[in-house]
Amino acid sequence: MTRRRAVAGWGFAGEEASPAEVDRLTRLVAVRFPDADLGVRPAVAWQDAPVAPPRITPPPALEGYCTSDREARLLHARGRSYTDVVALRRGDFGAAPDVVATPRDATEVAAVLDWCADAGIACVPFGGGTSVVGGVTPPAGERPVVTLSTRGLRRVVEVDAVSRAARVQAGATGPEVEDGLRRHGFTLRFFPQSFELSTLGGWIATRAAGHYATGPTGIDDLVESVTAVTPTGLWSSRRLPRSGAGPSPDRLLLGSEGILGVVTEAWVRVLPRPQYRAAAAVSFPDFGAGAAAVRAVAHSGLTPANCRLLDPTEALLNGAGDGTGAVLLLGFESARAPVDAELHDAMALCRDHGGAGEVPGDKGSGGADGGNTAQRWRRAFLRAPYLRDALVGLGVLTETFETAVTWDRFAELHSAVIRATAQALAAVCGDGVVTCRLTHAYPDGAAPYFTVVAPARRGAEAQQWAAVKRAAGDAILDAGGTITHHHAVGRDHRAWYDRQRPEPFARALAAAKAAVDPRDVLNPGVLLGG
Ligand SMILES: Cc1cc2nc3c(=O)[nH]c(=O)nc-3n(C[C@H](O)[C@H](O)[C@H](O)COP(=O)(O)OP(=O)(O)OC[C@H]3O[C@@H](n4cnc5c(N)ncnc54)[C@H](O)[C@@H]3O)c2cc1C
């Protein structure tokens, strides 16, 4: 049976949180927020949501792959941030695109862009629509909008086993990429939490990061060459392992968030599938001690696949600890040889920093137990976004802020963000919890990932969210971090992005945009412009 995308929430229709899951969440939240108003408010059915009639009709030559069908327009009206989910549940689809185009090759992509340029239409590239920063939200106003879905381009086209690279179309989702590579014995080894729905083109456009903690963490590291259709022609780079020939054309497209061109395909670096695994959990008296151990591991040259440090509350909420100390989840994997020695080395470094934990009988190394644990973790990881929607339905404000910072400023940033966010939550929600985990570790710094859970005031969620977001974003920037390690800029992070980027670079980016998209067709208001 074909799974249909949920129009007004995460994932696939019919796979939302079960009554038992909602019940469990309600009980969990009620323990921490006993006074919260936790009744589930049913979501407005998308069939009943108001939507303005389309303002444009595609030219006859494009009719075969364009639609103004109501469901298609609503499905492409928003991303999946907390505020998107709040609005969607209320039946507020904002400014739905007038037309959704789903071209099947680069020529059809060019035809859509030509139509938009000639007719003064804005075009929003759309992969999986999992943006959490307003990156696929159609700009409101007089100007009609065509959303260009890349889901007509979703194949693994060819695999070069000699160079270990694959040519993959931009609209392929995580499972489609992995299914296409598996039959050749390869993997892209790129697993963001949005894996089920997000696409290669979206990962490239947002410089996404997967769940691996060290080594190649971002899609940047995996891209060998990129092809994009711009409003003024094809932008296709040469396949090379590295090139010193001037600024990299790929680097300019990576993170371009759909403003320079529509990525249609890329050559990506692939790997044999891992066969050996070893994992352990290490507890620390506090988050600072755990962070020092993570730094030592990152400096050691060891490259754990998993090196996720949970603060005491995160550890408690994730069932990894009792809330009295921080917990580091360590895991190694390899396609070539057992990794138990690496795990033992990392554990020794952790013990040097006050960590306590044993390697669980070394059973994990390619054995059944390691496989089952990985599968359980993976299922929970992919299920989490459905539970986030259920929390929203219960009236819970739930949001994440992520950043990266060098180790010398890490401790200061961590305490400044926790303090500022907790103060904002107390002021606007009356209560709330802020937790932190380290998701990625580098020799020179780390990526702290903050999660906020608070009782929301029904109807005022967007204002509450904006106040908390402002406090967290300001604290991150003031403490020397980046406004995003991997969630991208979109519309929601513009204020901080504009402060963060060097002014001459902003002018260079605007000039690049003007050169390839002189009529400002592509994603106006994202990264640049008003
Ligand atoms: C529950 C959840 C979990 C998430 N987990 C992670 C995570 O682990 N790691 C992470 O990095 N992010 C994560 N995200 C954020 C999001 O999934 C990423 O930003 C992802 O890369 C977006 O891919 P997409 O295909 O859904 O792109 P979309 O949301 O469709 O688009 C994102 C941006 O890219 C542009 N774009 C999309 N496709 C193209 C293209 N082919 N050419 C040009 N521009 C394009 C769009 O215009 C938009 O600006 C998560 C989001 C959610 C909701």
Side-chain angles (χ1 to χ4, degrees):
M1 200 180 72
T2 317
R3 293 157 98 201
R4 279 177 84 82
R5 281 285 300 263
V7 178
W10 179 258
F12 296 96
E15 297 183 22
E16 45 287 317
S18 66
E21 284 174 317
V22 175
D23 196 45
R24 190 174 57 81
L25 284 176
T26 311
R27 277 186 279 115
L28 268 177
V29 177
V31 171
R32 178 59 185 79
F33 305 121
D35 300 328
D37 162 23
L38 291 180
V40 181
R41 303 280 202 280
V44 173
W46 62 264
Q47 291 86 345
D48 300 331
V51 56
R55 295 164 291 186
I56 44 173
T57 315
L62 275 59
E63 272 170 2
Y65 51 95
C66 288
T67 179
S68 287
D69 167 72
R70 179 187 171 81
E71 182 173 350
R73 290 177 65 208
L74 295 183
L75 198 47
H76 293 86
R78 287 187 182 275
R80 289 297 180 267
S81 68
Y82 166 70
T83 47
D84 288 325
V85 175
V86 168
L88 290 171
R89 291 186 61 86
R90 205 173 283 144
D92 171 6
F93 284 79
D98 298 276
V99 169
V100 177
T102 311
R104 295 152 296 189
D105 57 33
T107 309
E108 291 184 351
V109 172
V112 174
L113 296 184
D114 285 349
W115 170 41
C116 292
D118 292 346
I121 297 167
C123 178
V124 177
F126 193 107
T130 65
S131 170
V132 281
V133 291
V136 290
T137 312
E142 302 284 294
R143 197 174 177 194
V145 177
V146 170
T147 286
L148 188 155
S149 165
T150 57
R151 294 288 292 140
L153 304 158
R154 53 166 101 173
R155 282 184 312 119
V156 172
V157 185
E158 60 182 303
V159 171
D160 168 359
V162 175
S163 317
R164 283 203 181 156
R167 179 154 76 97
V168 183
Q169 291 185 312
T173 59
E176 287 163 353
V177 173
E178 287 301 319
D179 288 349
L181 295 177
R182 189 176 294 112
R183 64 181 74 114
H184 301 273
F186 289 119
T187 172
L188 181 58
R189 202 174 178 269
F190 189 75
F191 301 101
Q193 194 174 35
S194 53
F195 175 78
E196 265 197 298
L197 303 180
S198 58
T199 61
L200 175 66
W203 302 337
I204 291 173
T206 60
R207 294 179 71 195
H211 77 241
Y212 289 109
T214 66
T217 57
I219 195 71
D220 318 32
D221 304 319
L222 304 175
V223 166
E224 189 181 73
S225 82
V226 186
T227 296
V229 176
T230 79
T232 49
L234 201 65
W235 177 327
S236 191
S237 65
R238 191 172 278 229
R239 280 189 63 202
L240 292 166
R242 181 186 184 273
S243 167
S248 159
D250 299 339
R251 289 268 151 194
L252 200 48
L253 285 176
L254 280 155
S256 61
E257 301 194 24
I259 70 163
L260 298 177
V262 178
V263 175
T264 51
E265 63 176 49
W267 276 92
V268 287
R269 302 185 172 109
V270 297
L271 287 168
R273 306 184 76 76
Q275 305 295 328
Y276 300 92
R277 292 192 173 85
V282 191
S283 43
F284 290 90
D286 55 48
F287 194 61
V294 170
R295 179 158 52 95
V297 171
H299 285 170
S300 69
L302 292 165
T303 52
N306 195 4
C307 188
R308 199 165 275 245
L309 177 68
L310 311 179
D311 76 7
T313 314
E314 281 239 357
L316 178 69
L317 293 175
N318 287 281
D322 61 6
T324 58
V327 175
L328 176 64
L329 305 174
L330 264 180
F332 287 83
E333 62 179 44
S334 166
R336 204 172 43 83
V339 282
D340 309 79
E342 284 89 337
L343 181 61
H344 281 284
D345 284 353
M347 297 283 282
L349 288 170
C350 290
R351 276 185 217 107
D352 290 347
H353 290 84
E358 298 299 325
V359 176
D362 292 356
K363 274 194 288 191
S365 307
D369 185 53
N372 285 343
T373 308
Q375 265 180 22
R376 266 200 307 277
W377 182 83
R378 194 176 126 89
R379 266 200 301 276
F381 185 65
L382 297 178
R383 192 70 194 144
Y386 290 96
L387 303 185
R388 192 261 317 239
D389 280 17
L391 280 171
V392 175
L394 286 171
V396 175
L397 190 158
T398 160
E399 176 60 307
T400 57
F401 309 105
E402 38 78 60
T403 181
V405 69
T406 49
W407 285 117
D408 60 317
R409 287 180 292 192
F410 167 75
E412 200 184 313
L413 177 138
H414 174 251
S415 50
V417 175
I418 295 269
R419 195 171 47 243
T421 312
Q423 278 170 1
L425 283 174
V428 298
C429 299
D431 199 352
V433 180
V434 195
T435 63
C436 183
R437 71 180 98 138
L438 293 190
T439 54
H440 301 85
Y442 305 96
D444 55 343
Y449 188 98
F450 300 89
T451 300
V452 163
V453 181
R457 204 167 54 253
R458 315 260 186 176
E461 292 96 337
Q463 293 90 317
Q464 290 181 309
W465 170 85
V468 177
K469 179 91 184 162
R470 198 161 43 244
D474 286 351
I476 284 171
L477 236 59
D478 292 348
T482 170
I483 191 57
T484 174
H485 169 264
H486 59 264
H487 279 170
V489 174
R491 296 177 190 281
D492 295 353
H493 285 152
R494 265 304 294 282
W496 296 280
Y497 176 63
D498 288 6
R499 270 170 64 192
Q500 180 177 331
R501 65 185 173 189
E503 191 43 41
F505 172 77
R507 290 198 300 275
L509 184 61
K513 162 89 167 159
V516 296
D517 182 17
R519 298 200 204 163
D520 197 21
V521 166
L522 282 165
N523 237 357
V526 166
L527 289 182
L528 291 168

